[in-house]
Amino acid sequence: MAVKRAIAPEKRAQELRARIDEANYRYHVLDDPQISDQDYDALLRELLDLELAHPELQTPDSPTQRVGGTPAGGFPPYVHTRPMLSLGNAFDEAELLAFDARVRKLAAVDGDVAYTCELKIDGLAVSLRYDQGKLTAGGTRGDGSTGEDVTTNLRTIKTIPLSLRAPGSGPVPRHIDVRGEVYLRKSDFERLNAEREARGAARFANPRNTAAGGIRQLDPKMTAERSMTFYAYAVGEIDTPRPPRTQAELLACLKSLGFRVNEHARAVPSIREVIRFVEEWEVKRDELDYEIDGVVIKVDDLALQAKLGSSGKDPRWAIAFKFRAREARTKLLDIVVSVGRTGVLNPNAVLEPVQIGGTTVSNATLHNQDYIRANDIRIGDVVTVIRAGDVIPRVVGPVLELRKGNPPEYTLPTVCPVCGADVDHPEGEPMARC
């Protein structure tokens, strides 16, 4: 029996960086994600673990040292006064408890730490700059330091105030940099798709990509047509005589200035209450008119947040709990192949339509020939489909006990389905190319 050789750490790190960079590029620049959030998180976690075990492998351009992708073309740059950091992830109770233990250790706190829990809305993070109470600029998160200046498009979103309201406790801040999420309600998403179908246009894939694409429209009228919404949840800077002292106070302050803040946010006194909040919303999330893929947990005390600071790309005072992937079973009707920008052949599943988490799924990714073969996926199978992170559904594998007969194994075409040229599929490489 052949023995599988272990991959050298240096080579594996290079492979992981290449895959993560490609995923970042597709997600942040092309708005065309090819892997789920769950798969991306697994790749990033493996690279983080590898660099921790072998510090000499860490490089300045490693994805672990970055916040995100590069800004897309077509808009001038938007430089953030303070970085828009991303969040580390937790996937179970043990990881939440470990996060709390780190916070208490770094803060030198013996008792419980208070947190604010906020629903993690699946949209596009943006920053809004107000001077003397007037909206002066707005941009996307981009790589965390520089995004795209999309001020004109953001002005079309009715839940983004053009002028701040004076709070009852005093004047508006002289300057404030408000961070939040632009997203599309499920009801607006269905309305948009119904309108597109009526005029013979293709349906949008999901609310998150539709919102991201709407913000990057060169014609602001097309942005306005998507009826997007904004929730505020943080500030980068605030110049006011009496700044908020806690995250809960900050949300109340933002609400008093005229912003929508999530009505389900809750300040809790301990990590145990955080866990109860997470469990509650994993069950209730389909009751909402917008997509959430988890809960963001923040240390409530803003002075303690500042003391804890950040480590690399992640703040030490916050973490995102990611909900489990939702799944369903359905029939694999066919496998069709598309050709990407770089000539890569991408096999995609054509499915008998099935509801997963309130969305009808009829297509899913199959990644590549090796993935199909390793998971023994065949046309005609009843397959398990997961929808993780509400990006692109993925076929996990067949339900073998429901397989009828002996359907043939699937093989990628040997000629390009677009131009008819030969397909190159080097032995040992997962991707085939035109």
Side-chain angles (χ1 to χ4, degrees):
M1 184 176 69
V3 177
K4 190 174 181 179
R5 292 183 179 178
I7 301 176
E10 184 177 3
K11 184 177 180 182
R12 182 57 179 162
Q14 291 173 348
E15 291 175 353
L16 289 167
R17 288 188 194 110
R19 292 179 66 183
I20 293 168
D21 282 341
E22 177 68 11
N24 272 333
Y25 176 74
R26 287 184 171 277
Y27 188 97
H28 293 284
V29 179
L30 302 182
D31 290 330
D32 182 31
Q34 294 296 308
I35 66 173
S36 69
D37 285 358
Q38 195 172 41
D39 288 346
Y40 179 91
D41 290 336
L43 292 173
L44 189 59
R45 178 166 291 202
E46 183 182 349
L47 182 56
L48 281 165
D49 290 342
L50 195 60
E51 291 182 351
L52 283 172
H54 303 276
E56 72 277 8
L57 298 180
Q58 191 177 86
T59 61
D61 61 349
S62 172
T64 62
Q65 305 302 300
R66 292 170 29 160
V67 177
T70 55
F75 295 96
Y78 182 93
V79 179
H80 299 291
T81 52
R82 291 190 180 178
M84 291 185 72
L85 299 176
S86 60
L87 297 175
N89 295 321
F91 296 92
D92 55 33
E93 180 179 324
E95 292 185 342
L96 285 177
L97 292 171
F99 164 71
D100 178 64
R102 289 194 301 272
V103 167
R104 288 188 290 109
K105 181 180 179 181
L106 289 168
V109 173
D110 291 330
D112 291 328
V113 170
Y115 296 97
T116 294
C117 302
E118 302 170 32
L119 301 184
K120 187 175 181 295
I121 298 167
D122 197 20
L124 182 74
V126 300
S127 176
L128 305 169
R129 187 177 301 156
Y130 290 81
D131 294 295
Q132 305 302 327
K134 306 294 184 184
L135 176 62
T136 55
T140 62
R141 176 172 164 269
D143 65 2
S145 296
T146 305
E148 305 136 314
D149 190 322
V150 288
T151 308
T152 305
N153 290 349
L154 291 171
R155 286 178 178 274
T156 70
I157 299 174
K158 294 179 180 178
T159 45
I160 293 178
L162 301 181
S163 298
L164 300 180
R165 297 172 65 90
S169 58
V172 299
R174 290 179 288 269
H175 166 77
I176 187 171
D177 172 22
V178 177
R179 275 89 188 270
E181 203 83 3
V182 171
Y183 67 97
L184 195 63
R185 288 183 291 254
K186 293 176 186 177
S187 53
D188 287 325
F189 177 69
E190 291 305 322
R191 174 188 56 78
L192 272 174
N193 272 338
E195 291 172 356
R196 290 177 68 81
E197 284 184 330
R199 61 176 186 264
R203 287 176 62 90
F204 288 125
N206 56 58
R208 191 268 164 201
N209 279 15
T210 309
I215 287 298
R216 292 184 173 97
Q217 293 293 321
L218 295 178
D219 182 355
K221 292 180 182 177
M222 297 185 70
T223 301
E225 287 174 359
R226 300 200 184 183
S227 300
M228 291 178 288
T229 305
F230 175 78
Y231 268 135
Y233 53 64
V235 298
E237 293 183 329
I238 181 169
D239 181 3
T240 186
R242 291 191 296 275
R245 295 168 299 173
T246 67
Q247 178 66 17
E249 285 183 11
L250 174 60
L251 293 177
C253 171
L254 289 169
K255 186 175 182 179
S256 72
L257 292 172
F259 294 97
R260 288 193 68 188
V261 298
N262 194 265
E263 61 274 21
H264 301 295
R266 187 186 304 166
V268 297
S270 69
I271 194 66
R272 283 294 169 192
E273 291 300 316
V274 168
I275 292 167
R276 275 190 271 274
F277 183 93
V278 165
E279 290 171 345
E280 173 188 347
W281 281 102
E282 186 149 24
V283 174
K284 291 169 59 176
R285 60 177 160 161
D286 287 332
E287 298 176 10
L288 300 167
D289 192 27
Y290 47 87
E291 298 281 7
I292 62 171
D293 58 3
V295 173
V296 175
I297 299 104
K298 301 174 183 175
V299 169
D300 192 45
D301 187 324
L302 297 183
L304 183 52
Q305 286 187 14
K307 178 181 176 181
L308 291 168
S310 61
S311 174
K313 69 183 186 70
D314 303 333
R316 294 190 181 97
W317 45 267
I319 198 166
F321 182 90
K322 300 296 268 306
F323 291 147
R324 291 184 293 271
R326 294 184 276 195
E327 64 179 50
R329 290 180 175 182
T330 189
K331 189 174 183 179
L332 175 60
L333 302 177
D334 199 3
I335 297 175
V336 297
V337 176
S338 61
V339 182
R341 177 179 57 86
T342 60
V344 172
L345 271 63
N346 301 305
N348 300 288
V350 179
L351 305 168
E352 198 167 86
V354 62
Q355 286 279 320
I356 306 180
T359 297
T360 301
V361 173
S362 56
N363 296 280
T365 183
L366 288 165
H367 297 303
N368 53 55
Q369 175 77 69
D370 289 353
Y371 182 85
I372 296 171
R373 193 163 287 160
N375 290 281
D376 193 23
I377 299 167
R378 307 185 187 194
I379 295 172
D381 279 340
V382 173
V383 294
T384 300
V385 183
I386 68 168
R387 184 166 162 253
D390 301 316
V391 181
I392 293 181
R394 172 168 64 94
V395 174
V396 177
V399 183
L400 291 175
E401 61 268 27
L402 297 180
R403 177 175 284 171
K404 295 180 180 179
N406 186 29
E409 291 185 1
Y410 176 80
T411 303
L412 277 173
T414 56
V415 297
C416 174
V418 174
C419 71
D422 289 342
V423 169
D424 181 30
H425 192 178
E427 187 176 349
E429 291 191 14
M431 299 299 184
R433 287 181 170 82
C434 168

